[in-house]
Amino acid sequence: MATKPDIEQIAGFYQPAESDQILRYFQQEHDWPENRYRYSGRQFVLPRLQTWHADANIRYSYSNNLLETRAWTPLLLAIRTKVELFLANSFNAVLVNYYRDGEDHVGWHADDEPELGKQPLIVSLSFGAERRFEFKHKLSSKTGSVVLSQGSLLIMRPSFQHLWLHRVPKTHDVCAGRINLTFRQVVI
Ligand SMILES: [Mn+2]
């Protein structure tokens, strides 16, 4: 059985000037919610900021309904169209993550919620500071990493979620912000 992760990074999917514009838009204009949540009687703080946007007919219990579903913004729609044309694949939802500095992170997980179906294709766009994306095999000891570069598109094919966990760890080397958009197709 192959254990090479089924991921591919397309560098420069957005050119640097446009990537900077997109980063600044999200940092300055996007309506970020509070990242403190109460769940099952306990309060916790998400170590990043997030919003979830989807088509009107989509119901999704992402992170146990912590996030409200928002409409697409004009910028998110424009980016979705560019991604869809490039991949010849449609997406009906996007999770927007803002890693404000190297302290913000996401722990080990796979994007394998039942709402994404059995064969989830997820694509991840990065704007701003470079962060290390690490992965480890669910059954073996194999590990690896890629640096998510400004303006890049990371394609995660379905087997990646089946076989691997991934994370963006904390780092003391980064003090600038990173915006990450992950486009998904929620099965209706
Ligand atoms: Mn993920």
Side-chain angles (χ1 to χ4, degrees):
M1 189 171 84
T3 51
K4 187 173 174 295
D6 208 350
I7 56 175
E8 180 185 355
Q9 187 173 212
I10 311 292
F13 185 72
Y14 277 93
Q15 295 303 303
E18 196 171 2
S19 297
D20 283 337
Q21 280 183 354
I22 292 169
L23 173 69
R24 275 200 299 277
Y25 172 83
F26 279 106
Q27 288 181 312
Q28 295 169 12
E29 311 290 335
H30 195 62
D31 179 21
W32 296 105
E34 179 71 27
N35 63 332
R36 292 169 192 277
Y37 298 95
R38 183 168 284 280
Y39 178 65
S40 293
R42 287 172 45 219
Q43 179 150 323
F44 66 97
V45 179
L46 196 70
R48 59 196 177 277
L49 302 182
Q50 284 189 328
T51 59
W52 169 255
H53 308 255
D55 290 353
N57 57 338
I58 299 304
R59 287 177 185 277
Y60 188 36
S61 58
Y62 179 80
S63 283
N64 302 304
N65 292 309
L66 292 178
L67 297 175
E68 60 170 315
T69 300
R70 297 187 180 188
W72 293 86
T73 66
L75 176 58
L76 285 171
L77 274 181
I79 296 171
R80 175 170 84 164
T81 298
K82 182 175 164 78
V83 169
E84 287 182 334
L85 288 172
F86 181 75
L87 289 168
N89 192 89
S90 57
F91 297 96
N92 58 18
V94 65
L95 184 66
V96 182
N97 279 287
Y98 179 20
Y99 299 84
R100 293 160 291 180
D101 57 29
E103 286 289 305
D104 276 356
H105 62 279
V106 64
W108 289 115
H109 69 283
D111 294 296
D112 56 0
E113 287 91 353
E115 290 93 335
L116 298 176
K118 287 187 168 20
Q119 300 296 330
L121 172 70
I122 299 174
V123 297
S124 167
L125 275 164
S126 294
F127 303 101
E130 291 189 342
R131 294 291 295 265
R132 184 166 296 276
F133 175 88
E134 298 181 346
F135 42 88
K136 67 175 180 182
H137 196 266
K138 289 180 181 178
L139 300 175
S140 80
S141 58
K142 288 187 192 310
T143 62
S145 67
V146 295
V147 174
L148 298 170
S149 58
Q150 159 91 313
S152 70
L153 177 73
L154 182 75
I155 302 169
M156 295 182 270
R157 298 204 169 80
S159 64
F160 184 69
Q161 308 300 337
H162 298 158
L163 298 175
W164 301 80
L165 301 175
H166 58 275
R167 71 172 179 176
V168 176
K170 269 190 204 184
T171 171
H172 296 303
D173 303 331
V174 174
C175 54
R178 167 178 178 257
I179 291 291
N180 173 232
L181 311 180
T182 55
F183 288 90
R184 298 133 187 267
Q185 179 72 22
V186 176
V187 176
I188 300 169

